[in-house]
Amino acid sequence: MSGLPGRAPEVHEGAPACPVHPYGYHLEPRVNAVGTHRVFRDVSLLGVPQRCALLEEELMEAERELDLLDELWVRERASTGRPLTMAAATLSGAVLVIAALSDASGATVAAVVGGGAALTLLGSRAEAVLVRARLWRIRDWHRRVGVPR
């Protein structure tokens, strides 16, 4: 053990508070159990929580360091270009232009806009899931067979 308190340094008198996380952040465990793809329980805007000694200690106690490396590998390689999302947005825009030019009522145009937005969001989410599943399979393959040079 490294001498750091296991959980909630705020409750131990004289223990140093976490310099990067708010008071009470470490009262509950932040690392998921082994077997889940996501290492950390909470999702921040950047994807992983800010580093601190207590969080790293919890990661080592849960023996999830290699899982974190795998998760970071997948995040680095997730594509930023989304062809399905772009196709859905283009199709939605074309239908909107056709509805606007055909003297459709306001309710029809609003329905087309709402449907196009829903189609774009669903396409984006489906594509993200497909890319992530593909990358996790690649990473699993690398773990079993080795990383090609």
Side-chain angles (χ1 to χ4, degrees):
M1 202 84 196
S2 69
L4 292 172
R7 189 84 55 235
E10 298 92 348
V11 298
H12 301 294
E13 210 169 299
C18 179
V20 294
H21 294 111
Y23 180 83
Y25 181 83
H26 295 286
L27 288 174
E28 297 175 359
R30 296 294 168 184
V31 176
N32 281 330
V34 176
T36 57
H37 280 297
R38 284 189 22 222
V39 173
F40 294 109
R41 186 172 54 101
D42 298 331
V43 179
S44 72
L45 293 176
L46 301 176
V48 292
Q50 204 169 3
R51 287 182 63 178
C52 75
L54 294 171
L55 198 57
E56 290 176 10
E57 181 73 22
E58 186 177 345
L59 208 92
M60 287 188 278
E61 286 175 359
E63 298 179 359
R64 301 279 323 252
E65 301 95 354
L66 295 177
D67 295 337
L68 178 62
L69 291 176
D70 291 344
E71 185 175 344
L72 293 175
W73 185 90
V74 169
R75 286 175 188 268
E76 286 175 355
R77 283 152 181 82
S79 67
T80 56
R82 306 229 188 254
L84 286 177
T85 304
M86 295 306 293
T90 304
L91 178 66
S92 301
V95 170
L96 179 63
V97 167
I98 291 170
L101 292 177
S102 67
D103 294 331
S105 67
T108 304
V109 172
V112 168
V113 168
L119 180 67
T120 304
L121 288 175
L122 286 175
S124 174
R125 183 66 189 137
E127 190 165 22
V129 167
L130 289 174
V131 167
R132 215 162 244 265
R134 179 181 165 273
L135 288 173
W136 276 113
R137 287 181 182 175
I138 290 170
R139 192 61 181 173
D140 185 48
W141 182 267
H142 286 177
R143 191 181 305 117
R144 292 172 193 246
V145 179
V147 178
R149 297 282 176 214

